[in-house]
Amino acid sequence: MAEWALWAALDFLREGPQHRAQQDAAEWKRVRSREIAGSRWLIVGYGSIGEAVGNRVTALGGHVTGLRRSPGPAPGAEEILPSSVLPDALPDADVVLLCVPHTAETEGMAGADFFSKMKPDALFMNLGRGALVDEDALVDALVKGRPAYAALDVTGVEPLPAESPLWHHPKIMITPHDSSQTNGTILRADGTFVDNLHRYLNGEPLRNLVDRKAFED
């Protein structure tokens, strides 16, 4: 999932959509693009997924701010702030990534007010749950030019209906909730099972429960 975030961000920052459009048109025109180095990332929900993204972004020279309920130092982030500062943190971010779970508190958190605070050249990404995003507000915000682009691995209705306008929107990238579907996923799942077996036999908390707490924090 962390690699999905890097892939989506690099595609946006390196002007992937424009390059593909030029290729379709057989147009040889150099395009100035941006880098992860020096970019400012806001990861909302700095649990295990956010940390994995943060570690990779930091290694590439990006600046990472993580938001979660319990502030404090965490790998991959230059600062961890309380979730309550979200409205004040949005205007400074080049990339905003949602990694929070769907709860009554987080449902629809990314709405019109949320998007209005983002930079006009920023990228919005969602790796959490589709219900976090007001999709009508997102489409309206993209039309207004704030943010510049959105990458979504999750949607409010899954599978996404064929008639959904999200499919063909020029400023939206859609993947079918498959960010975790890689060759390494099964191997890591097997490792988690073996780890959990040892934990169970030793009377320790299971790994998925430990990760869930970090995710919610």
Side-chain angles (χ1 to χ4, degrees):
M1 295 176 74
E3 291 190 4
W4 180 96
L6 285 187
W7 163 61
L10 281 169
D11 187 67
F12 167 72
L13 294 171
R14 297 308 304 260
E15 300 291 349
Q18 183 173 345
H19 279 103
R20 287 188 290 275
Q22 290 182 182
Q23 181 175 347
D24 287 342
E27 181 180 9
W28 186 273
K29 180 180 177 182
R30 291 183 176 178
V31 179
R32 178 171 294 181
S33 58
R34 298 152 69 186
E35 303 175 351
I36 286 183
S39 64
R40 302 184 67 86
W41 287 57
L42 179 64
I43 300 180
V44 186
Y46 205 80
S48 56
I49 298 171
E51 183 177 310
V53 176
N55 283 329
R56 289 160 173 78
V57 172
T58 299
L60 291 174
H63 176 284
V64 177
T65 296
L67 301 188
R68 65 184 186 190
R69 293 177 182 173
S70 53
E78 293 192 31
E79 56 184 351
I80 297 292
L81 302 175
S83 302
S84 59
V85 307
L86 174 60
D88 296 324
L90 285 170
D92 294 328
D94 299 304
V95 180
V96 177
L97 172 63
L98 297 189
C99 292
V100 295
H102 174 211
T103 66
E105 182 182 357
T106 62
E107 183 168 341
M109 64 180 297
D113 186 60
F114 179 104
F115 295 121
S116 71
K117 290 181 170 60
M118 290 186 65
K119 296 169 63 175
D121 61 351
L123 169 66
F124 171 74
M125 298 192 290
N126 187 9
L127 273 176
R129 290 291 182 266
L132 303 176
V133 179
D134 180 335
E135 293 173 354
D136 290 337
L138 172 60
V139 170
D140 184 58
L142 290 169
V143 170
K144 293 177 179 177
R146 190 185 297 265
Y149 200 78
L152 309 175
D153 185 51
V154 288
T155 55
V157 177
E158 297 183 1
L160 185 64
E163 63 272 16
S164 171
L166 300 182
W167 279 119
H168 304 292
H169 197 290
K171 295 183 178 180
I172 297 178
M173 183 188 78
I174 295 285
T175 56
H177 205 155
D178 65 355
S179 60
S180 64
Q181 301 303 301
T182 66
N183 293 337
T185 300
I186 294 177
L187 294 176
R188 286 189 291 273
D190 289 345
T192 299
F193 171 78
V194 173
D195 183 27
N196 274 341
L197 180 60
H198 287 296
R199 287 171 176 266
Y200 175 77
L201 294 175
N202 292 327
E204 301 172 355
L206 299 185
R207 177 70 177 274
N208 60 326
L209 297 180
V210 172
D211 286 349
R212 175 68 179 183
K213 183 178 184 303
F215 187 77
E216 292 176 341
D217 288 343

